[in-house]
Amino acid sequence: MNKTFDRYASLVSLIIAAAFMIESRNISSSAYGSNVGPNIFPFGLGLIFALLSLRLFYETFKDSKRDGETREKLDWKRFLIIFAAAALYAFFLEEIGYIVGTFAFLLIGFQTMQKGKWLSSILISALFSYGVYFVFVQVLQGTLPGWPVWFGM
Amino acid sequence: MDVLSYLGNGFATALDWHNLLFAFIGVLIGTAVGVLPGIGPMSGVALLIPVTASFTSGLSPEAAATSSIILLAGVYYGAMYGGSTTSILLNTPGESSSVVTALDGYQMAKQGRAGSALSIAAIGSFFAGIVSLVALVLLAKPLSDVALKFGPAEYFSLMLLGLCAVSGLAGKSMTKALMMTVFGLMLGTIGIDNVSGVARFTFDIPQLYQGLEFLTIAVGLFALGEVFKTILERESNDGELAKITRILPTKQDMKESTGPIVRGSLLGFFIGILPGAGATLASFFSYILEKKISKNPEKFGKGAIAGVAAPESANNAASGGAMIPLLTMGIPGSGTTAILMGALIMYNVQPGPLLFDEHPQVAWGLIASMFIGNLMLLALNMPLVKVFAKIISVPPKYLIPIIVAISVFGVYAVQTNTFDLMLLMVFGVAGYFLLKNDFPLAPLVLGLVLGPMIENNMRRALTASNGDFMIFLQKPVSLVFLVIAVLWITVPLLLKLRGKKVLVNEEG
């Protein structure tokens, strides 16, 4: 358990709760034919969430002696590369098309996980990206962004 | 029509060739999901929702809902089978409900009795599956008749009870679990309010008007969250795979495990019905029970076959029992059933008391297919257990990026916009950090799924009472639900204050 995380989490959620309550006051307070408007439920939730955040904040001070666990080594580099690749892949999916994007993402992912075996990496990425596209778009008539426009296909 | 003819129709639906195929694919993938340590039943089901949605796109809405729920439920109980395989052979449970199985199962494998342990687990799971199905058939109609008499006030209190039960038992800190539940409810209010048509918390972002898609959040939190964990923490399983010599259990083994299987099934089933107490708790309790009533408890932990038979039967029975509140009252008791419920709602099929009247094909088709699916699992697991055990050696190098790619594909295929893909990434990261710091994820999904219904029922009840909140206390049934809900939260707190250890459910 990480007390620092909990403390920040409780503060962040307190802010969210406050924002939620303030924002819910802007919602119309009545609905046609009922004096129970669409604002009551969100406001109540915000209130409970705020109370729970305070409770969590209080708990982080209570038994703080269990701190100082052995921190395991996290592989941030590997995570950041794959996450950045995934985020870029998701963001530009419609521009670069499904097949190109998936192929590139998988290749980067495979090689970041473990270097080497380029041939099988390329083969699996190509098979997966084209296979999914073929089955979903050609057979099942679904919608996926095809080849990019500038590709001329 | 009586129950038997409904069941007959259900079997007719389930025996359609394409539904048979769906059930088969479901249990196959489910077993694989159970074996692979990276993905649990929740992320497996969440990942497969969009895939099944695209496979069933050619069918009529009701048939599509039936087929996909058959497949998804197959994944759910298939994972219960698969989880036992790796606990026995490798001492690494594929999912949390087979943690106890590893205690005795791995010892048996070390003694060269891996085959008997595996087959007893399969037989126990099968028996438990059948027990919970029979009970489901018997209880479904009466329970949904009772639930039909509930008004909005009763429903509101019942759902509140469901949420409290799940939060009370999930994870190490109840505050955190409750926070996640409320946060899920808050996320559920985003979008157009479907009573008054007012936009709430949309900030003029067009994609937010239809609300946050449940699928995006579930796939992000569960599937991507677990993937990120594997990437960051370099999990590996280098354990030696135990050899499987003989597959069938001996007569002695059968004799010793009959009692545990029967007791485990019954206990597991009743624990499964209770909201919040899922398969993990069921397997723990049945193990403890067997150890208590055993003539030689010192054998437990050293390869007692009862220590494999009882928890494996219990976790399977619990997954069957968990279907009862979902199908009859529309209240999911665990993360996985919440995801199944979300899938049903996506198909415009509302689980609840009306399900059996409005969509008998879906309800009874699912029940019948669970019967067939259990048969398939037994047939698959006995001869093919060696093949399944090999799945664990799929290199994570390929598995991890492909799971990310499937998540992206799945969300895009259903939502067709990049906004949801970005949301997916955000929830993936959030899922990792929340889980790492003991914030349980299942209550959030439960809150998100139940949120709109809780709010509707609350407002209908309040409209009827002219805004008087006392209506929830004046209706006797509603009052009972609320009292139980309060007890569910306070009793564990009191026990903790007195220094007792409280068993918690750590399913996701």
Side-chain angles (χ1 to χ4, degrees):
Chain A
M1 230 205 278
N2 191 340
K3 292 282 171 203
T4 341
F5 181 89
D6 284 0
R7 206 162 296 162
Y8 282 117
S10 66
L11 288 176
V12 169
S13 48
L14 194 62
I15 295 168
I16 295 177
F20 209 78
M21 275 155 69
I22 293 168
E23 187 64 23
S24 71
R25 292 176 64 89
N26 296 333
I27 300 172
S28 132
S29 61
S30 73
Y32 180 73
S34 163
N35 52 2
V36 189
N39 61 335
I40 290 185
F41 191 65
F43 186 80
L45 288 179
L47 192 67
I48 301 173
F49 199 56
L51 293 176
L52 286 169
S53 320
L54 287 175
R55 160 95 201 163
L56 183 67
F57 189 67
Y58 163 74
E59 274 177 13
T60 56
F61 285 103
K62 225 167 44 175
D63 42 14
S64 54
K65 51 186 176 287
R66 277 187 306 169
D67 244 3
E69 274 174 44
T70 47
R71 294 201 114 194
E72 73 260 68
K73 279 280 280 171
L74 292 180
D75 202 334
W76 284 105
K77 193 180 140 206
R78 200 163 73 147
F79 168 74
L80 285 176
I81 295 178
I82 292 183
F83 181 71
L88 287 174
Y89 163 49
F91 192 75
F92 290 110
L93 185 66
E94 286 175 347
E95 276 76 29
I96 55 172
Y98 184 77
I99 301 180
V100 177
T102 313
F103 178 78
F105 167 72
L106 283 181
L107 201 57
I108 295 172
F110 291 158
Q111 289 302 321
T112 318
M113 291 295 292
Q114 199 179 26
K115 281 238 168 64
K117 289 191 188 163
W118 280 92
L119 189 65
S120 55
S121 299
I122 291 175
L123 268 178
I124 294 176
S125 323
L127 270 178
F128 182 87
S129 48
Y130 189 71
V132 169
Y133 186 79
F134 178 78
V135 171
F136 190 67
V137 176
Q138 314 279 333
V139 181
L140 296 165
Q141 310 275 308
T143 314
L144 281 179
W147 297 96
V149 197
W150 41 266
F151 218 74
M153 274 180 78
Chain B
M1 281 205 286
D2 63 338
V3 172
L4 279 181
S5 58
Y6 273 122
L7 191 63
N9 284 348
F11 270 104
T13 312
L15 285 171
D16 268 351
W17 69 268
H18 66 267
N19 284 339
L20 278 180
L21 184 68
F22 274 112
F24 182 73
I25 298 175
V27 295
L28 203 62
I29 297 180
T31 315
V33 162
V35 169
L36 290 168
I39 9 179
M42 270 194 278
S43 40
V45 175
L47 266 178
L48 279 168
I49 291 175
V51 180
T52 54
S54 50
F55 272 128
T56 55
S57 56
L59 302 166
S60 73
E62 193 170 40
T66 317
S67 301
S68 39
I69 200 70
I70 284 176
L71 195 155
L72 296 175
V75 175
Y76 180 30
Y77 53 76
M80 297 288 158
Y81 270 73
S84 60
T85 311
T86 46
S87 346
I88 291 170
L89 292 181
L90 270 172
N91 205 14
T92 45
E95 24 97 26
S96 57
S97 59
S98 32
V99 171
V100 214
T101 315
L103 294 178
D104 277 292
Y106 188 60
Q107 293 301 322
M108 283 183 75
K110 268 184 160 170
Q111 297 162 11
R113 289 156 71 206
S116 332
L118 285 169
S119 53
I120 276 296
I123 293 169
S125 302
F126 174 74
F127 180 80
I130 301 305
V131 165
S132 59
L133 272 180
V134 171
L136 183 58
V137 169
L138 293 177
L139 286 175
K141 201 78 186 122
L143 266 181
S144 58
D145 285 343
V146 171
L148 265 182
K149 296 204 177 74
F150 290 170
E154 282 86 358
Y155 251 105
F156 171 78
S157 307
L158 181 61
M159 287 185 202
L160 216 57
L161 166 61
L163 286 181
C164 286
V166 171
S167 324
L169 287 170
K172 292 185 183 118
S173 153
M174 197 189 287
T175 318
K176 290 178 180 176
L178 283 172
M179 278 177 76
M180 294 304 275
T181 312
V182 178
F183 193 60
L185 290 172
M186 281 160 61
L187 290 180
T189 61
I190 295 176
I192 300 267
D193 168 37
N194 51 14
V195 179
S196 60
V198 176
R200 297 190 292 190
F201 309 109
T202 53
F203 308 107
D204 293 324
I205 302 170
Q207 284 92 346
L208 282 180
Y209 279 104
Q210 55 175 335
L212 290 180
E213 183 58 45
F214 142 84
L215 179 74
T216 311
I217 295 179
V219 172
L221 286 179
F222 295 120
L224 282 192
E226 275 186 79
V227 163
F228 290 159
K229 178 164 179 272
T230 322
I231 296 176
L232 274 168
E233 295 178 0
R234 280 196 175 274
E235 279 174 12
S236 60
N237 30 52
D238 308 322
E240 232 2 63
L241 211 60
K243 278 228 172 64
I244 306 168
T245 40
R246 58 172 292 155
I247 286 179
L248 287 175
T250 57
K251 262 204 181 118
Q252 178 67 20
D253 287 339
M254 283 302 275
K255 221 174 115 194
E256 274 176 37
S257 45
T258 315
I261 287 178
V262 175
R263 283 187 294 268
S265 305
L266 293 175
L267 184 72
F269 175 74
F270 286 108
I271 293 180
I273 297 182
L274 293 178
T280 313
L281 271 189
S283 58
F284 267 102
F285 276 135
S286 70
Y287 187 83
I288 295 167
L289 175 79
E290 286 308 319
K291 205 172 170 180
K292 275 224 172 94
I293 63 173
S294 168
K295 283 187 200 107
N296 26 6
E298 70 281 353
K299 265 175 78 182
F300 280 81
K302 292 187 190 121
I305 197 151
V308 175
E312 277 305 309
S313 320
N315 70 29
N316 236 49
S319 69
M323 300 300 263
I324 287 187
L326 172 69
L327 291 178
T328 58
M329 307 200 196
I331 305 231
S334 68
T336 319
T337 40
I339 292 176
L340 283 179
M341 178 159 172
L344 281 173
I345 294 175
M346 270 179 65
Y347 283 100
N348 219 359
V349 172
Q350 178 72 51
L354 289 172
L355 180 71
F356 286 86
D357 290 328
E358 281 175 358
H359 305 281
Q361 194 199 354
V362 178
W364 291 104
L366 170 65
I367 293 176
S369 89
M370 284 174 76
F371 187 83
I372 295 166
N374 270 302
L375 264 179
M376 283 178 180
L377 277 172
L378 189 64
L380 272 178
N381 269 269
M382 300 291 265
L384 291 180
V385 76
K386 286 182 194 174
V387 182
F388 280 125
K390 288 237 168 65
I391 296 179
I392 201 166
S393 43
V394 171
K397 171 183 179 181
Y398 298 116
L399 190 67
I400 297 294
I402 283 183
I403 294 178
V404 179
I406 294 177
S407 313
V408 168
F409 160 75
V411 169
Y412 192 85
V414 175
Q415 295 295 103
T416 37
N417 66 49
T418 17
F419 177 82
D420 271 83
L421 290 180
M422 298 327 286
L423 211 59
L424 174 76
M425 296 294 155
V426 171
F427 274 99
V429 178
Y432 168 71
F433 282 108
L434 289 172
L435 200 59
K436 188 163 166 43
N437 291 291
D438 298 318
F439 285 87
L441 300 175
L444 191 149
V445 176
L446 204 64
L448 185 68
V449 170
L450 284 181
M453 277 177 279
I454 291 192
E455 184 181 8
N456 272 351
N457 280 304
M458 184 192 95
R459 281 162 69 182
R460 275 166 55 201
L462 285 179
T463 304
S465 75
N466 257 330
D468 182 7
F469 276 90
M470 291 309 284
I471 183 169
F472 299 114
L473 302 179
Q474 282 156 357
K475 300 234 173 182
V477 180
S478 161
L479 179 67
V480 171
F481 287 147
L482 285 180
V483 169
I484 300 175
V486 170
L487 285 178
W488 212 299
I489 294 290
T490 48
V491 168
L493 275 183
L494 289 177
L495 286 179
K496 250 184 211 164
L497 276 182
R498 290 168 135 209
K500 286 213 174 100
K501 257 191 99 175
V502 183
L503 211 54
V504 291
N505 196 14
E506 285 182 42
E507 192 189 333

